[in-house]
Amino acid sequence: MKDLIITDTNVFIDLIKAGAMEYFMQLDYRILTTGFVVNEINHPEQKATLDRCLTPERVEIIEFSGEEMMNILRFRTRRNLKRLTDKSVLFLAVQRKCPLLSGDGDLRKEAQDNGLTVFGSLWVITQLVEQAICTPQTAIILLKRLERCNPRLPKKKMEELISSLECSVVGSEQN
């Protein structure tokens, strides 16, 4: 059985803007998200990409019962998670005991406080190369697009990742 991973809205948006969503869907993970996440993406072009990629074979969209909604609303957090979407993906990740993909600082900290592993968009790009879904050259292109569309990503980490990928490209060309 594939490992589970739960995705928040901002990672989907980053991947859509960078042109990496189709690659992401090829990762060897069982991807879960919530209906709240899907409903937050309402920019027409982004929504079209998401709708095209979110097939039942690739992504399970979790909808909550009334009782589960009450549990989500009662779910205590140390930080003030303002959006129900954030609480829904955190609740789901805690329930399923699986990693969370998010770029939201408060949500990331809250997930870590709950003992969860948290990854972001840069990790996704790294996984694309590690799982041989794209080449390092393609990953560099995706990262540069990501850098342009989301300037809040950690610049130093991004530069290190691009540099590392460039070294692997040069190394493979010399062989």
Side-chain angles (χ1 to χ4, degrees):
M1 182 172 179
K2 292 182 180 183
D3 290 337
L4 290 177
I5 196 152
I6 295 174
T7 307
D8 188 23
T9 310
N10 51 42
V11 171
F12 276 149
I13 291 172
D14 279 352
L15 297 174
I16 291 167
K17 286 182 174 181
M21 192 66 173
E22 286 81 3
Y23 294 114
F24 175 57
M25 292 295 123
Q26 296 175 51
L27 284 176
D28 193 26
Y29 289 96
R30 191 165 144 236
I31 302 166
L32 277 69
T33 195
T34 69
F36 295 113
V37 168
V38 174
N39 291 333
E40 269 194 347
I41 299 176
N42 50 26
H43 183 279
E45 289 174 23
Q46 293 174 2
K47 183 85 172 138
T49 300
L50 191 67
D51 289 344
R52 187 175 63 252
C53 292
L54 295 186
T55 63
E57 307 82 51
R58 292 299 311 138
V59 180
E60 184 178 350
I61 301 169
I62 306 296
E63 300 291 348
F64 298 102
S65 69
E67 183 179 334
E68 289 170 320
M69 283 302 304
M70 292 306 296
N71 290 334
I72 291 168
L73 293 169
R74 286 187 204 122
F75 188 67
R76 293 201 179 264
T77 58
R78 293 180 188 162
R79 288 157 194 84
N80 182 17
L81 299 181
K82 296 174 183 82
R83 299 175 321 126
L84 184 57
T85 303
D86 292 344
K87 276 189 114 171
S88 75
V89 293
L90 177 62
F91 179 81
L92 186 60
V94 167
Q95 294 302 108
R96 303 283 177 110
K97 296 177 178 64
C98 66
L100 176 65
L101 290 178
S102 181
D104 179 284
D106 283 341
L107 178 55
R108 291 175 68 91
K109 290 174 191 164
E110 197 66 43
Q112 290 166 339
D113 287 351
N114 278 277
L116 298 174
T117 303
V118 185
F119 301 113
S121 301
L122 300 182
W123 176 85
V124 172
I125 304 299
T126 302
Q127 288 296 298
L128 296 177
V129 175
E130 286 181 12
Q131 293 186 24
I133 293 167
C134 75
T135 64
Q137 296 95 323
T138 300
I140 291 167
I141 292 166
L142 296 173
L143 286 165
K144 289 182 178 181
R145 286 182 195 158
L146 196 53
E147 189 174 37
R148 283 192 302 274
C149 71
N150 187 349
R152 297 176 318 185
L153 290 169
K155 192 159 186 61
K156 185 172 173 29
K157 210 172 192 183
M158 174 105 49
E159 289 168 356
E160 289 169 356
L161 184 53
I162 289 172
S163 177
S164 170
L165 289 167
E166 287 172 341
C167 287
S168 71
V169 169
V170 169
S172 68
E173 289 173 352
Q174 292 176 350
N175 291 334

